[in-house]
Amino acid sequence: QKPKKTLGLCAKCKENIIGHENGCKALGALYHVNCFVCQKCRDPLVKKPFYHTDGLTYCEKDYLDTLEKCDVCEEHIKERILRAVDKQYHPECFKCTDCTNCLDGVPFTLDATNNVLCVQCYNKKFAYTCASCSKLIVSEDGAETYRIIAMDKDFHVACYKCEVCDSKFTNDEGQGCYPHEDRLLCHTHYKEAVAQ
């Protein structure tokens, strides 16, 4: 019987590998079949899918167990992970709870019950509507938004003006708002309305 060929030294145990059936090549090195095993369950990895991460080698099942699970679908996150509101998601699973649009890379906010909402859905649900122009009172450019409340109604700053002459109301004397019969009037038009 012909002596078995020595393949080289095992990268793990540093002993000779004798015979092809006792050795394998993986990760650019040679191993005994019984040395190339899963770090966790110790099952041999020859001819099986395996994962090498942080210097450790795992069978597919044990590797998946090291991964975080998506808070929505509860599947392992194998690629890019999105972290938001103290949870982890597949980017495609992180969606607005109202419109279900994907929020990966998109501004979002939370409502009082911690539902994740895109800014548009949040504004539709919670923003005030201007009594003058009927549009939502929201920031157009991310700046702070102001609203004016008069006669139990909400107004954009730009819409808070006399309903007759469109002059803007200010805090200057004689330039304020003079409500009359559910209308916003400047001092001049208030005097005219009262005189009628």
Side-chain angles (χ1 to χ4, degrees), residues 37-48:
V37 296
C38 173
Q39 184 71 29
K40 188 172 180 187
C41 70
R42 313 305 292 167
D43 282 350
L45 296 174
V46 176
K47 297 183 183 175
K48 294 180 185 173

Side-chain angles (χ1 to χ4, degrees), residues 158-191:
C159 294
Y160 188 58
K161 57 191 176 183
C162 177
E163 293 179 26
V164 178
C165 68
D166 286 340
S167 61
K168 300 229 184 215
F169 301 130
T170 68
N171 290 333
D172 297 335
E173 191 166 327
Q175 302 300 309
C177 175
Y178 294 82
H180 179 69
E181 295 180 356
D182 209 33
R183 294 181 73 203
L184 302 178
L185 301 174
C186 65
H187 190 249
T188 303
H189 288 106
Y190 172 78
K191 288 191 296 186

Side-chain angles (χ1 to χ4, degrees), residues 41-78:
C41 70
R42 313 305 292 167
D43 282 350
L45 296 174
V46 176
K47 297 183 183 175
K48 294 180 185 173
F50 67 89
Y51 296 83
H52 188 74
T53 181
D54 298 327
L56 302 174
T57 308
Y58 297 96
C59 66
E60 188 168 32
K61 179 197 170 299
D62 288 334
Y63 170 72
L64 292 176
D65 288 343
T66 68
L67 301 178
E68 294 183 70
K69 289 187 177 183
C70 176
D71 194 67
V72 175
C73 71
E74 298 183 359
E75 294 291 322
H76 291 102
I77 302 172
K78 297 178 186 174

